[in-house]
Amino acid sequence: MRIEAADPKGLIREAYRIEGIGPEECRSIFLDWALSLPAEVVAGQALKRLIAEYGAAAPDHPMTAVLRAGLDDGPVARRRGGARGRRS
């Protein structure tokens, strides 16, 4: 996958260039990136490409941690059953 396809707006590239950026800002940029990703791009593949491109050179950057967290499986959705589940 080309880097332009993985980061079409250049948001992740620019995040790595911001001096003193923190985890909160990185998460916000990541959300914007995820919401603007074209439907034909598989997010997991794009994340792997971005980590290879930018994360390898900056393993301690907060955006690298956010990208790696994006690859983790989320929590398992659980249904609360019975009357208690219908009242919430």
Side-chain angles (χ1 to χ4, degrees):
M1 169 181 293
R2 294 180 34 229
I3 194 66
E4 293 82 14
D7 189 16
K9 293 168 61 177
L11 295 171
I12 305 300
R13 179 188 68 236
E14 291 304 317
Y16 276 95
R17 293 179 179 176
I18 297 172
E19 192 79 27
I21 193 169
E24 297 82 15
E25 294 91 359
C26 289
R27 285 192 293 272
S28 178
I29 291 169
F30 177 80
L31 180 60
D32 189 17
W33 168 83
L35 292 173
S36 64
L37 203 59
E40 64 273 3
V41 175
V42 177
Q45 291 176 352
L47 285 170
K48 289 176 184 174
R49 177 67 173 103
L50 292 170
I51 292 168
E53 181 75 19
Y54 304 120
D60 296 329
H61 195 283
M63 183 54 85
T64 303
V66 170
L67 294 175
R68 286 190 178 127
L71 285 175
D72 293 343
D73 291 333
V76 175
R78 296 183 344 165
R79 180 182 175 277
R80 291 180 57 184
R84 177 182 250 176
R86 289 188 290 277
R87 279 188 241 129
S88 328

